[in-house]
């Protein structure tokens, strides 16, 4: 058994920004797990928002060597051990779990979604238009529509909201998702959400700061659009806490620690009658592929992280219009392109 890793940098086609700030490049850690001549890959996409760093990821990987079992199929106990030791670095746990799932699928010659007993992954994703000045916003919208994307997500909570939404609705009549990324106070949020109703949002994501979660119920009861939590909802226990406050949750593997934790969140959410969405960060399709495995269990997908890149180092997820799908390739279903220089 051999666990190794290397850093990888990816670049968004346009600078990607939210109400919180922007980025021009993303550095991740590609995890490589090798046993019996088979190699599985996973990606660690640390988020500073959750106290995750590249350095912490690499230090956790050092300690993972002793936490991995001789049996890579023992995923439940491996993930439990990793969470018990490194609960605050769940992006890293996701990367390790992804590499193990990829290995297990390749060893059995089946896709991971099939190992999980799920239907073939096929789901419409939103395509995100990040915050930008009006000229660049216009370019991004025109590019997205020319590419045939059928559902758009707009980052709101900045001064140019009205201008951007007017522009979008003058060109696009389809599903429009709004994400405020914690931009508003409870008092502002009610007024902003009532104002945004005219743009017919499909849903509104994370209107309030994480610490203001008890005010979400009032926004939910406005009945303007379904209210979803993202930053607020990291792990299974958060679904229980938020169950009576929102319409739905946005699961991201970087937050929760991988496919197994995501499936627990989905089970809880369904039990409480909540809708489920899966989201992502700007990243290669190696980081998107694990969330694609359970696409058949989702109401909404925002898995466009790799579509925002100038050049994705991995291939395998098909995209037609806005519909993402995975075929019958074993493991996670993505492979490194030769130019990616992945060992
Ligand atoms: Mg979000």
């Amino acid at each position: 058994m051999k666990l190794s890793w290397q850093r990888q940098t990816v670049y968004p086609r346009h600078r990607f920004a939210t109400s919180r700030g922007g980025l021009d490049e993303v550095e991740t850690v590609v995890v490589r797990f090798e046993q019996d001549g088979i190699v599985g890959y996973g990606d660690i996409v640390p988020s500073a928002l959750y106290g995750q760093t590249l350095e912490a990821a690499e230090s956790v990987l050092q300690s993972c060597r002793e936490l991995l079992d001789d049996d890579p199929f023992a995923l439940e106990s491996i993930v439990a051990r990793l969470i018990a030791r490194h609960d605050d670095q769940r992006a890293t746990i996701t990367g390790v779990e992804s590499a193990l799932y990829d290995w297990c699928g390749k060893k059995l010659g089946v896709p991971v979604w099939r190992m999980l007993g799920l239907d073939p992954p096929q789901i419409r994703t939103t395509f995100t238009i990040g915050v930008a000045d009006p000229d660049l916003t216009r370019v991004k919208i025109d590019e997205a529509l020319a590419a045939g994307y059928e559902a758009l997500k707009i980052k709101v909570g900045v001064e140019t909201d009205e201008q951007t939404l007017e522009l979008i609705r003058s060109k696009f009549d389809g599903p429009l998702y709004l994400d405020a990324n914690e931009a508003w106070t409870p008092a502002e949020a009610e007024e902003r959400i009532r104002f945004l109703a005219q743009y017919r949002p499909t849903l509104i994501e994370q209107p309030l700061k994480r610490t203001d979660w008890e005010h979400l119920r009032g926004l939910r009861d406005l009945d303007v659009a379904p209210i979803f939590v993202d930053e607020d909802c990291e792990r299974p226990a958060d679904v229980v806490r938020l169950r009576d406050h929102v319409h739905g949750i946005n699961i991201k593997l970087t937050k929760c620690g991988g496919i197994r934790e995501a499936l627990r969140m989905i089970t809880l959410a369904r039990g409480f009658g909540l809708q489920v969405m899966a989201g992502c960060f700007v990243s290669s399709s190696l980081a998107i592929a694990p969330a694609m495995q359970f696409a058949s269990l989702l109401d909404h997908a925002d898995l466009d992280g790799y579509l925002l890149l100038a050049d994705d180092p991995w291939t395998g997820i098909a995209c037609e219009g806005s519909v993402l799908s995975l075929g019958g390739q074993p493991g996670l279903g993505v492979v490194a392109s030769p130019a990616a220089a992945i060992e």
Side-chain angles (χ1 to χ4, degrees), residues 154-230:
I154 307 298
K155 296 293 192 180
V156 294
V158 292
E159 274 179 16
T160 48
D161 285 354
E162 185 173 354
Q163 211 174 347
T164 304
L165 288 162
E166 286 291 332
L167 183 60
I168 294 223
R169 275 308 189 206
S170 71
K171 294 167 178 268
F172 176 71
D173 200 38
L176 186 58
Y177 294 60
L178 305 182
D179 188 353
N181 291 109
E182 303 187 276
W184 300 316
T185 64
E188 279 170 346
E190 178 167 345
E191 183 254 311
R192 293 306 293 162
I193 287 171
R194 287 190 196 281
F195 169 79
L196 293 171
Q198 63 187 298
Y199 301 107
R200 292 169 282 119
T202 300
L203 59 83
I204 298 174
E205 208 179 306
Q206 197 65 44
L208 303 177
K209 294 194 173 38
R210 277 171 276 188
T211 44
D212 288 334
W213 65 272
E214 282 168 308
H215 295 272
L216 285 166
R217 189 198 295 243
L219 303 180
R220 180 196 66 175
D221 293 343
L222 292 176
D223 261 341
V224 167
I227 302 292
F228 273 58
V229 268
D230 176 2

Side-chain angles (χ1 to χ4, degrees), residues 30-47:
V30 175
V31 181
R32 183 181 189 279
F33 176 81
E34 182 175 0
Q35 188 165 305
D36 304 340
I38 295 169
V39 179
Y41 293 99
D43 205 5
I44 301 172
V45 188
S47 168

Side-chain angles (χ1 to χ4, degrees), residues 1 3 31 33 35 40-42 64 67-84 92-108 110-117 256-264 290 293 331-332:
M1 185 261 274
L3 186 71
V31 181
F33 176 81
Q35 188 165 305
Y41 293 99
C64 274
L67 291 174
L68 293 187
D69 218 288
D70 285 339
D71 178 9
F73 285 96
L75 285 156
E76 181 72 19
S77 63
I78 293 171
V79 169
R81 276 201 298 280
L82 292 174
I83 288 176
T92 307
I93 297 171
T94 295
V96 173
E97 191 216 48
S98 300
L100 293 174
Y101 263 120
D102 192 37
W103 185 91
C104 293
K106 287 171 175 169
K107 176 80 174 168
L108 296 174
V110 295
V112 171
W113 55 265
R114 203 160 152 71
M115 275 174 57
L116 298 170
C256 74
I259 291 172
R260 301 188 77 77
E261 287 289 277
L263 294 176
R264 282 188 252 280
Q293 308 302 322
L332 293 177

Side-chain angles (χ1 to χ4, degrees), residues 2-22:
K2 188 180 163 211
L3 186 71
S4 57
W5 53 89
Q6 68 183 89
R7 291 197 184 187
Q8 179 170 266
T9 304
V10 291
Y11 302 90
R13 191 176 301 121
H14 299 291
R15 178 177 169 77
F16 186 82
T18 70
S19 61
R20 196 178 283 121

